Amino acid sequence: MANTTKNEILIQYWDKSVSTLATRAVNKISEPQQERHRLYALLAMAATHYFWNGDKRGKNGRYPMNVPVTANSSKYLKGDYLGHNILALAVDFDGHIIDFEMNHNLIYNSSAEHAEARLIKRIFSLASLADTWKFEVSGHDQNDYNTFRDVSIYTTLESCSQCSGVMALAQVKEVIYLQTDNGMYLIGNILRNLTQGTKLQAPNPIDGTEISLPYFSQLNEAFDAFCKTVSESKPFFIPTDPNEKVDASKSVTSFLCTESAYRIFEAAKEELGNYLSGKTPLRFPDYQPSRSVTNLHGKSITTESTMTNKAVIKEIASFYSYIQINGRRATPHR
Ligand SMILES: [Zn+2]
């Protein structure tokens, strides 16, 4: 087909196979850095577990594959399902947790209220106010959109095209995802390749295997098992009203309501708890990532993050308490 674009990077891929565009090199991440990533990944999973609600189709019916939702729990707004069990977390270079968000599709009756996009918009809007959880805006020029240049986003599910686009525009450094979403056709890889070397480079995708997170393959395998199991005779949801249809779709967000998914998030929560209590010692407690930055004189200098992995544990403990008291993103804003 004739070349219909003037985009120079896209032209390079024009006559190549789709796999060339959708494939990226494996990230070689050092063990100390993997440990650091895993701690935040565990926090994202533990927080998802905390706000868990499996009642995707409302309360008038049965969910044979789910654990029951505690109807009177305040964190669920009396059991209402506000969005899918998907959470995103933003962390800066030093290791400070900037903020988190959850999927809110249901409460807004929208298909676009995803965790990552909500998180980016939230931080952009709060960055000027300095009115969020310990986010230090000093050193950031609010007008040149540098807010996310050294920010890692941890998301429990691989990002869609909307969120990948929003994160690319925000110049997020990297996105660490904890489960594959085959419905999203490797858009993160494709965008990364198509923006290589440009000013608006899309975030570097990192999957759970690259940080040695066992829950990544567990979630992927459990989702495959769900797809093989769910059927009209073994539905995800059976409505009380016999005139309504049962839900037997092979949906990843339905899977993320089931007990098998819940147990994997629970295991992550317990692993995090063992780190926080000191029962599981860190292998690299004194590790501090470093980066090269250009100083005012145009010289490249190396700086270290202010927080060691040991300090990250403290940060996570504080944040984990915060979300359970004030950070109620799974309820309407208040
Ligand atoms: Zn999305």
mmCIF file of all heavy atoms in Angstrom, residues 244-285:
data_model
loop_
_atom_site.group_PDB
_atom_site.id
_atom_site.type_symbol
_atom_site.label_atom_id
_atom_site.label_comp_id
_atom_site.label_asym_id
_atom_site.label_seq_id
_atom_site.Cartn_x
_atom_site.Cartn_y
_atom_site.Cartn_z
ATOM 1 N N GLU A 244 -33.625 -11.559 32.783
ATOM 2 C CA GLU A 244 -32.344 -10.956 32.412
ATOM 3 C C GLU A 244 -31.344 -12.045 32.041
ATOM 4 O O GLU A 244 -31.438 -13.175 32.515
ATOM 5 C CB GLU A 244 -31.795 -10.131 33.588
ATOM 6 C CG GLU A 244 -32.502 -8.793 33.742
ATOM 7 C CD GLU A 244 -31.947 -8.000 34.921
ATOM 8 O OE1 GLU A 244 -30.754 -8.170 35.251
ATOM 9 O OE2 GLU A 244 -32.723 -7.232 35.508
ATOM 10 N N LYS A 245 -30.380 -11.663 31.236
ATOM 11 C CA LYS A 245 -29.400 -12.655 30.760
ATOM 12 C C LYS A 245 -28.299 -12.900 31.800
ATOM 13 O O LYS A 245 -27.894 -11.975 32.503
ATOM 14 C CB LYS A 245 -28.741 -12.144 29.472
ATOM 15 C CG LYS A 245 -29.567 -12.459 28.226
ATOM 16 C CD LYS A 245 -28.857 -11.972 26.987
ATOM 17 C CE LYS A 245 -27.614 -12.808 26.687
ATOM 18 N NZ LYS A 245 -26.984 -12.404 25.417
ATOM 19 N N VAL A 246 -27.827 -14.128 31.825
ATOM 20 C CA VAL A 246 -26.650 -14.395 32.661
ATOM 21 C C VAL A 246 -25.431 -13.779 31.960
ATOM 22 O O VAL A 246 -25.442 -13.561 30.751
ATOM 23 C CB VAL A 246 -26.414 -15.907 32.885
ATOM 24 C CG1 VAL A 246 -27.599 -16.545 33.564
ATOM 25 C CG2 VAL A 246 -26.058 -16.612 31.595
ATOM 26 N N ASP A 247 -24.390 -13.486 32.749
ATOM 27 C CA ASP A 247 -23.147 -12.956 32.186
ATOM 28 C C ASP A 247 -22.117 -14.078 32.154
ATOM 29 O O ASP A 247 -21.684 -14.558 33.202
ATOM 30 C CB ASP A 247 -22.645 -11.774 33.034
ATOM 31 C CG ASP A 247 -21.383 -11.137 32.449
ATOM 32 O OD1 ASP A 247 -20.760 -11.761 31.567
ATOM 33 O OD2 ASP A 247 -21.026 -10.027 32.892
ATOM 34 N N ALA A 248 -21.780 -14.511 30.935
ATOM 35 C CA ALA A 248 -20.780 -15.571 30.776
ATOM 36 C C ALA A 248 -19.657 -15.108 29.858
ATOM 37 O O ALA A 248 -19.010 -15.908 29.186
ATOM 38 C CB ALA A 248 -21.442 -16.825 30.217
ATOM 39 N N SER A 249 -19.434 -13.779 29.836
ATOM 40 C CA SER A 249 -18.413 -13.251 28.918
ATOM 41 C C SER A 249 -17.001 -13.497 29.463
ATOM 42 O O SER A 249 -16.796 -13.571 30.670
ATOM 43 C CB SER A 249 -18.627 -11.750 28.709
ATOM 44 O OG SER A 249 -18.466 -11.078 29.929
ATOM 45 N N LYS A 250 -16.067 -13.600 28.535
ATOM 46 C CA LYS A 250 -14.663 -13.829 28.918
ATOM 47 C C LYS A 250 -13.982 -12.480 29.135
ATOM 48 O O LYS A 250 -12.990 -12.141 28.485
ATOM 49 C CB LYS A 250 -13.953 -14.626 27.811
ATOM 50 C CG LYS A 250 -14.582 -15.989 27.552
ATOM 51 C CD LYS A 250 -13.861 -16.699 26.418
ATOM 52 C CE LYS A 250 -14.630 -17.881 25.868
ATOM 53 N NZ LYS A 250 -15.091 -18.860 26.833
ATOM 54 N N SER A 251 -14.530 -11.728 30.050
ATOM 55 C CA SER A 251 -14.060 -10.356 30.268
ATOM 56 C C SER A 251 -12.992 -10.320 31.357
ATOM 57 O O SER A 251 -13.139 -10.939 32.421
ATOM 58 C CB SER A 251 -15.267 -9.510 30.676
ATOM 59 O OG SER A 251 -14.849 -8.427 31.457
ATOM 60 N N VAL A 252 -11.931 -9.567 31.101
ATOM 61 C CA VAL A 252 -10.853 -9.487 32.096
ATOM 62 C C VAL A 252 -11.345 -8.777 33.357
ATOM 63 O O VAL A 252 -10.915 -9.095 34.474
ATOM 64 C CB VAL A 252 -9.584 -8.821 31.502
ATOM 65 C CG1 VAL A 252 -9.774 -7.331 31.273
ATOM 66 C CG2 VAL A 252 -8.373 -9.065 32.396
ATOM 67 N N THR A 253 -12.289 -7.839 33.202
ATOM 68 C CA THR A 253 -12.777 -7.146 34.405
ATOM 69 C C THR A 253 -13.716 -8.040 35.217
ATOM 70 O O THR A 253 -13.833 -7.864 36.426
ATOM 71 C CB THR A 253 -13.459 -5.810 34.039
ATOM 72 O OG1 THR A 253 -14.478 -6.046 33.070
ATOM 73 C CG2 THR A 253 -12.457 -4.805 33.526
ATOM 74 N N SER A 254 -14.376 -9.006 34.553
ATOM 75 C CA SER A 254 -15.133 -10.009 35.319
ATOM 76 C C SER A 254 -14.163 -10.918 36.064
ATOM 77 O O SER A 254 -14.345 -11.198 37.259
ATOM 78 C CB SER A 254 -16.013 -10.854 34.391
ATOM 79 O OG SER A 254 -17.008 -10.076 33.805
ATOM 80 N N PHE A 255 -13.135 -11.362 35.341
ATOM 81 C CA PHE A 255 -12.108 -12.178 36.015
ATOM 82 C C PHE A 255 -11.589 -11.465 37.256
ATOM 83 O O PHE A 255 -11.389 -12.081 38.308
ATOM 84 C CB PHE A 255 -10.953 -12.476 35.050
ATOM 85 C CG PHE A 255 -9.716 -12.935 35.758
ATOM 86 C CD1 PHE A 255 -9.661 -14.186 36.362
ATOM 87 C CD2 PHE A 255 -8.607 -12.095 35.871
ATOM 88 C CE1 PHE A 255 -8.524 -14.597 37.067
ATOM 89 C CE2 PHE A 255 -7.473 -12.497 36.563
ATOM 90 C CZ PHE A 255 -7.429 -13.750 37.165
ATOM 91 N N LEU A 256 -11.396 -10.156 37.146
ATOM 92 C CA LEU A 256 -10.858 -9.383 38.273
ATOM 93 C C LEU A 256 -11.883 -9.164 39.381
ATOM 94 O O LEU A 256 -11.692 -8.329 40.258
ATOM 95 C CB LEU A 256 -10.291 -8.049 37.779
ATOM 96 C CG LEU A 256 -8.956 -8.173 37.036
ATOM 97 C CD1 LEU A 256 -8.567 -6.857 36.381
ATOM 98 C CD2 LEU A 256 -7.837 -8.645 37.982
ATOM 99 N N CYS A 257 -12.989 -9.886 39.312
ATOM 100 C CA CYS A 257 -13.953 -9.922 40.416
ATOM 101 C C CYS A 257 -13.957 -11.290 41.086
ATOM 102 O O CYS A 257 -14.556 -11.454 42.146
ATOM 103 C CB CYS A 257 -15.361 -9.633 39.889
ATOM 104 S SG CYS A 257 -15.602 -7.931 39.386
ATOM 105 N N THR A 258 -13.342 -12.269 40.460
ATOM 106 C CA THR A 258 -13.489 -13.648 40.934
ATOM 107 C C THR A 258 -12.580 -13.944 42.132
ATOM 108 O O THR A 258 -11.590 -13.240 42.371
ATOM 109 C CB THR A 258 -13.128 -14.657 39.815
ATOM 110 O OG1 THR A 258 -11.751 -14.470 39.466
ATOM 111 C CG2 THR A 258 -14.006 -14.458 38.594
ATOM 112 N N GLU A 259 -12.939 -15.015 42.808
ATOM 113 C CA GLU A 259 -12.142 -15.418 43.973
ATOM 114 C C GLU A 259 -10.722 -15.790 43.557
ATOM 115 O O GLU A 259 -9.771 -15.500 44.294
ATOM 116 C CB GLU A 259 -12.811 -16.594 44.691
ATOM 117 C CG GLU A 259 -11.993 -17.062 45.873
ATOM 118 C CD GLU A 259 -12.720 -18.007 46.805
ATOM 119 O OE1 GLU A 259 -13.859 -18.389 46.495
ATOM 120 O OE2 GLU A 259 -12.133 -18.343 47.846
ATOM 121 N N SER A 260 -10.556 -16.408 42.386
ATOM 122 C CA SER A 260 -9.190 -16.819 42.002
ATOM 123 C C SER A 260 -8.287 -15.600 41.830
ATOM 124 O O SER A 260 -7.116 -15.638 42.217
ATOM 125 C CB SER A 260 -9.201 -17.707 40.751
ATOM 126 O OG SER A 260 -9.557 -16.987 39.616
ATOM 127 N N ALA A 261 -8.833 -14.518 41.269
ATOM 128 C CA ALA A 261 -8.032 -13.293 41.175
ATOM 129 C C ALA A 261 -7.803 -12.705 42.574
ATOM 130 O O ALA A 261 -6.687 -12.312 42.927
ATOM 131 C CB ALA A 261 -8.735 -12.272 40.287
ATOM 132 N N TYR A 262 -8.867 -12.674 43.344
ATOM 133 C CA TYR A 262 -8.797 -12.109 44.707
ATOM 134 C C TYR A 262 -7.693 -12.770 45.528
ATOM 135 O O TYR A 262 -6.935 -12.088 46.230
ATOM 136 C CB TYR A 262 -10.158 -12.301 45.385
ATOM 137 C CG TYR A 262 -10.259 -11.784 46.789
ATOM 138 C CD1 TYR A 262 -10.494 -10.438 47.053
ATOM 139 C CD2 TYR A 262 -10.133 -12.658 47.883
ATOM 140 C CE1 TYR A 262 -10.595 -9.962 48.353
ATOM 141 C CE2 TYR A 262 -10.237 -12.186 49.186
ATOM 142 C CZ TYR A 262 -10.471 -10.849 49.417
ATOM 143 O OH TYR A 262 -10.570 -10.386 50.704
ATOM 144 N N ARG A 263 -7.601 -14.099 45.423
ATOM 145 C CA ARG A 263 -6.593 -14.823 46.229
ATOM 146 C C ARG A 263 -5.174 -14.433 45.819
ATOM 147 O O ARG A 263 -4.260 -14.421 46.648
ATOM 148 C CB ARG A 263 -6.784 -16.341 46.089
ATOM 149 C CG ARG A 263 -8.084 -16.857 46.659
ATOM 150 C CD ARG A 263 -8.183 -16.721 48.169
ATOM 151 N NE ARG A 263 -9.534 -17.029 48.625
ATOM 152 C CZ ARG A 263 -10.162 -16.411 49.615
ATOM 153 N NH1 ARG A 263 -9.552 -15.455 50.310
ATOM 154 N NH2 ARG A 263 -11.383 -16.748 49.954
ATOM 155 N N ILE A 264 -4.964 -14.149 44.549
ATOM 156 C CA ILE A 264 -3.624 -13.755 44.095
ATOM 157 C C ILE A 264 -3.275 -12.364 44.670
ATOM 158 O O ILE A 264 -2.169 -12.137 45.162
ATOM 159 C CB ILE A 264 -3.542 -13.777 42.555
ATOM 160 C CG1 ILE A 264 -3.738 -15.217 42.058
ATOM 161 C CG2 ILE A 264 -2.206 -13.220 42.068
ATOM 162 C CD1 ILE A 264 -3.976 -15.355 40.563
ATOM 163 N N PHE A 265 -4.244 -11.470 44.655
ATOM 164 C CA PHE A 265 -4.012 -10.144 45.247
ATOM 165 C C PHE A 265 -3.809 -10.269 46.765
ATOM 166 O O PHE A 265 -3.018 -9.530 47.358
ATOM 167 C CB PHE A 265 -5.174 -9.200 44.921
ATOM 168 C CG PHE A 265 -5.114 -8.642 43.526
ATOM 169 C CD1 PHE A 265 -5.590 -9.375 42.445
ATOM 170 C CD2 PHE A 265 -4.556 -7.403 43.274
ATOM 171 C CE1 PHE A 265 -5.525 -8.882 41.143
ATOM 172 C CE2 PHE A 265 -4.477 -6.885 41.976
ATOM 173 C CZ PHE A 265 -4.973 -7.634 40.918
ATOM 174 N N GLU A 266 -4.519 -11.225 47.344
ATOM 175 C CA GLU A 266 -4.370 -11.444 48.789
ATOM 176 C C GLU A 266 -2.953 -11.936 49.133
ATOM 177 O O GLU A 266 -2.355 -11.507 50.124
ATOM 178 C CB GLU A 266 -5.407 -12.471 49.253
ATOM 179 C CG GLU A 266 -5.479 -12.635 50.741
ATOM 180 C CD GLU A 266 -6.724 -13.422 51.134
ATOM 181 O OE1 GLU A 266 -6.864 -14.588 50.694
ATOM 182 O OE2 GLU A 266 -7.566 -12.875 51.864
ATOM 183 N N ALA A 267 -2.444 -12.835 48.292
ATOM 184 C CA ALA A 267 -1.075 -13.341 48.522
ATOM 185 C C ALA A 267 -0.065 -12.182 48.439
ATOM 186 O O ALA A 267 0.883 -12.110 49.231
ATOM 187 C CB ALA A 267 -0.738 -14.416 47.499
ATOM 188 N N ALA A 268 -0.292 -11.276 47.483
ATOM 189 C CA ALA A 268 0.601 -10.112 47.355
ATOM 190 C C ALA A 268 0.495 -9.229 48.591
ATOM 191 O O ALA A 268 1.498 -8.723 49.110
ATOM 192 C CB ALA A 268 0.247 -9.326 46.099
ATOM 193 N N LYS A 269 -0.719 -9.056 49.069
ATOM 194 C CA LYS A 269 -0.931 -8.241 50.279
ATOM 195 C C LYS A 269 -0.177 -8.859 51.460
ATOM 196 O O LYS A 269 0.459 -8.149 52.239
ATOM 197 C CB LYS A 269 -2.439 -8.188 50.596
ATOM 198 C CG LYS A 269 -2.783 -7.341 51.790
ATOM 199 C CD LYS A 269 -4.143 -7.661 52.337
ATOM 200 C CE LYS A 269 -4.020 -8.630 53.489
ATOM 201 N NZ LYS A 269 -5.248 -8.815 54.252
ATOM 202 N N GLU A 270 -0.241 -10.176 51.563
ATOM 203 C CA GLU A 270 0.454 -10.838 52.675
ATOM 204 C C GLU A 270 1.970 -10.725 52.533
ATOM 205 O O GLU A 270 2.683 -10.516 53.512
ATOM 206 C CB GLU A 270 0.001 -12.299 52.776
ATOM 207 C CG GLU A 270 -1.343 -12.380 53.483
ATOM 208 C CD GLU A 270 -2.072 -13.698 53.304
ATOM 209 O OE1 GLU A 270 -1.445 -14.670 52.868
ATOM 210 O OE2 GLU A 270 -3.290 -13.712 53.599
ATOM 211 N N GLU A 271 2.436 -10.842 51.311
ATOM 212 C CA GLU A 271 3.888 -10.686 51.091
ATOM 213 C C GLU A 271 4.325 -9.275 51.489
ATOM 214 O O GLU A 271 5.357 -9.096 52.149
ATOM 215 C CB GLU A 271 4.240 -10.964 49.625
ATOM 216 C CG GLU A 271 5.751 -10.987 49.428
ATOM 217 C CD GLU A 271 6.189 -11.236 47.981
ATOM 218 O OE1 GLU A 271 5.364 -11.635 47.142
ATOM 219 O OE2 GLU A 271 7.383 -11.002 47.716
ATOM 220 N N LEU A 272 3.530 -8.292 51.112
ATOM 221 C CA LEU A 272 3.865 -6.914 51.498
ATOM 222 C C LEU A 272 3.872 -6.779 53.021
ATOM 223 O O LEU A 272 4.779 -6.171 53.596
ATOM 224 C CB LEU A 272 2.861 -5.923 50.891
ATOM 225 C CG LEU A 272 3.139 -4.463 51.257
ATOM 226 C CD1 LEU A 272 4.412 -3.956 50.574
ATOM 227 C CD2 LEU A 272 1.960 -3.557 50.893
ATOM 228 N N GLY A 273 2.863 -7.363 53.651
ATOM 229 C CA GLY A 273 2.776 -7.306 55.116
ATOM 230 C C GLY A 273 4.030 -7.865 55.776
ATOM 231 O O GLY A 273 4.506 -7.323 56.785
ATOM 232 N N ASN A 274 4.573 -8.924 55.195
ATOM 233 C CA ASN A 274 5.789 -9.519 55.757
ATOM 234 C C ASN A 274 7.001 -8.595 55.617
ATOM 235 O O ASN A 274 7.873 -8.578 56.479
ATOM 236 C CB ASN A 274 6.078 -10.865 55.092
ATOM 237 C CG ASN A 274 5.092 -11.930 55.559
ATOM 238 O OD1 ASN A 274 4.474 -11.799 56.622
ATOM 239 N ND2 ASN A 274 4.924 -12.965 54.762
ATOM 240 N N TYR A 275 7.037 -7.834 54.536
ATOM 241 C CA TYR A 275 8.108 -6.833 54.394
ATOM 242 C C TYR A 275 7.916 -5.706 55.419
ATOM 243 O O TYR A 275 8.860 -5.257 56.052
ATOM 244 C CB TYR A 275 8.118 -6.235 52.988
ATOM 245 C CG TYR A 275 8.827 -7.085 51.960
ATOM 246 C CD1 TYR A 275 8.131 -7.638 50.888
ATOM 247 C CD2 TYR A 275 10.197 -7.313 52.051
ATOM 248 C CE1 TYR A 275 8.786 -8.406 49.931
ATOM 249 C CE2 TYR A 275 10.857 -8.083 51.100
ATOM 250 C CZ TYR A 275 10.144 -8.625 50.047
ATOM 251 O OH TYR A 275 10.793 -9.384 49.106
ATOM 252 N N LEU A 276 6.665 -5.265 55.546
ATOM 253 C CA LEU A 276 6.411 -4.127 56.442
ATOM 254 C C LEU A 276 6.680 -4.482 57.897
ATOM 255 O O LEU A 276 7.131 -3.644 58.681
ATOM 256 C CB LEU A 276 4.961 -3.625 56.283
ATOM 257 C CG LEU A 276 4.552 -3.120 54.883
ATOM 258 C CD1 LEU A 276 3.160 -2.504 54.918
ATOM 259 C CD2 LEU A 276 5.546 -2.113 54.322
ATOM 260 N N SER A 277 6.411 -5.720 58.260
ATOM 261 C CA SER A 277 6.623 -6.126 59.660
ATOM 262 C C SER A 277 8.076 -6.518 59.923
ATOM 263 O O SER A 277 8.461 -6.725 61.074
ATOM 264 C CB SER A 277 5.712 -7.309 59.992
ATOM 265 O OG SER A 277 6.144 -8.458 59.277
ATOM 266 N N GLY A 278 8.853 -6.653 58.866
ATOM 267 C CA GLY A 278 10.249 -7.060 59.034
ATOM 268 C C GLY A 278 10.439 -8.564 59.031
ATOM 269 O O GLY A 278 11.563 -9.063 59.120
ATOM 270 N N LYS A 279 9.330 -9.312 58.901
ATOM 271 C CA LYS A 279 9.426 -10.776 58.891
ATOM 272 C C LYS A 279 10.242 -11.244 57.675
ATOM 273 O O LYS A 279 11.026 -12.178 57.764
ATOM 274 C CB LYS A 279 8.001 -11.357 58.844
ATOM 275 C CG LYS A 279 7.912 -12.815 59.169
ATOM 276 C CD LYS A 279 6.440 -13.224 59.297
ATOM 277 C CE LYS A 279 6.297 -14.734 59.159
ATOM 278 N NZ LYS A 279 4.906 -15.128 58.992
ATOM 279 N N THR A 280 10.018 -10.603 56.551
ATOM 280 C CA THR A 280 10.842 -10.862 55.367
ATOM 281 C C THR A 280 11.844 -9.726 55.230
ATOM 282 O O THR A 280 11.451 -8.579 55.002
ATOM 283 C CB THR A 280 9.978 -10.923 54.087
ATOM 284 O OG1 THR A 280 8.951 -11.880 54.260
ATOM 285 C CG2 THR A 280 10.824 -11.297 52.878
ATOM 286 N N PRO A 281 13.133 -10.004 55.401
ATOM 287 C CA PRO A 281 14.109 -8.906 55.264
ATOM 288 C C PRO A 281 14.340 -8.554 53.794
ATOM 289 O O PRO A 281 14.206 -9.412 52.912
ATOM 290 C CB PRO A 281 15.377 -9.491 55.882
ATOM 291 C CG PRO A 281 15.209 -10.969 55.806
ATOM 292 C CD PRO A 281 13.751 -11.282 55.754
ATOM 293 N N LEU A 282 14.682 -7.310 53.547
ATOM 294 C CA LEU A 282 15.050 -6.891 52.194
ATOM 295 C C LEU A 282 16.408 -7.484 51.843
ATOM 296 O O LEU A 282 17.280 -7.620 52.701
ATOM 297 C CB LEU A 282 15.138 -5.364 52.126
ATOM 298 C CG LEU A 282 13.826 -4.604 52.216
ATOM 299 C CD1 LEU A 282 14.106 -3.109 52.338
ATOM 300 C CD2 LEU A 282 12.944 -4.878 51.004
ATOM 301 N N ARG A 283 16.585 -7.808 50.579
ATOM 302 C CA ARG A 283 17.903 -8.296 50.137
ATOM 303 C C ARG A 283 18.836 -7.125 49.860
ATOM 304 O O ARG A 283 20.043 -7.231 49.968
ATOM 305 C CB ARG A 283 17.753 -9.156 48.882
ATOM 306 C CG ARG A 283 17.196 -10.541 49.187
ATOM 307 C CD ARG A 283 17.037 -11.342 47.905
ATOM 308 N NE ARG A 283 18.304 -11.545 47.223
ATOM 309 C CZ ARG A 283 18.420 -11.720 45.901
ATOM 310 N NH1 ARG A 283 17.359 -11.691 45.131
ATOM 311 N NH2 ARG A 283 19.600 -11.907 45.362
ATOM 312 N N PHE A 284 18.263 -5.995 49.475
ATOM 313 C CA PHE A 284 19.087 -4.837 49.108
ATOM 314 C C PHE A 284 18.599 -3.582 49.845
ATOM 315 O O PHE A 284 18.134 -2.635 49.211
ATOM 316 C CB PHE A 284 19.041 -4.625 47.591
ATOM 317 C CG PHE A 284 19.403 -5.861 46.811
ATOM 318 C CD1 PHE A 284 18.409 -6.686 46.285
ATOM 319 C CD2 PHE A 284 20.733 -6.216 46.623
ATOM 320 C CE1 PHE A 284 18.739 -7.836 45.577
ATOM 321 C CE2 PHE A 284 21.070 -7.365 45.911
ATOM 322 C CZ PHE A 284 20.072 -8.179 45.391
ATOM 323 N N PRO A 285 18.674 -3.585 51.169
ATOM 324 C CA PRO A 285 18.087 -2.470 51.935
ATOM 325 C C PRO A 285 18.740 -1.124 51.659
ATOM 326 O O PRO A 285 18.084 -0.090 51.763
ATOM 327 C CB PRO A 285 18.310 -2.883 53.398
ATOM 328 C CG PRO A 285 19.396 -3.914 53.355
ATOM 329 C CD PRO A 285 19.272 -4.607 52.042
#
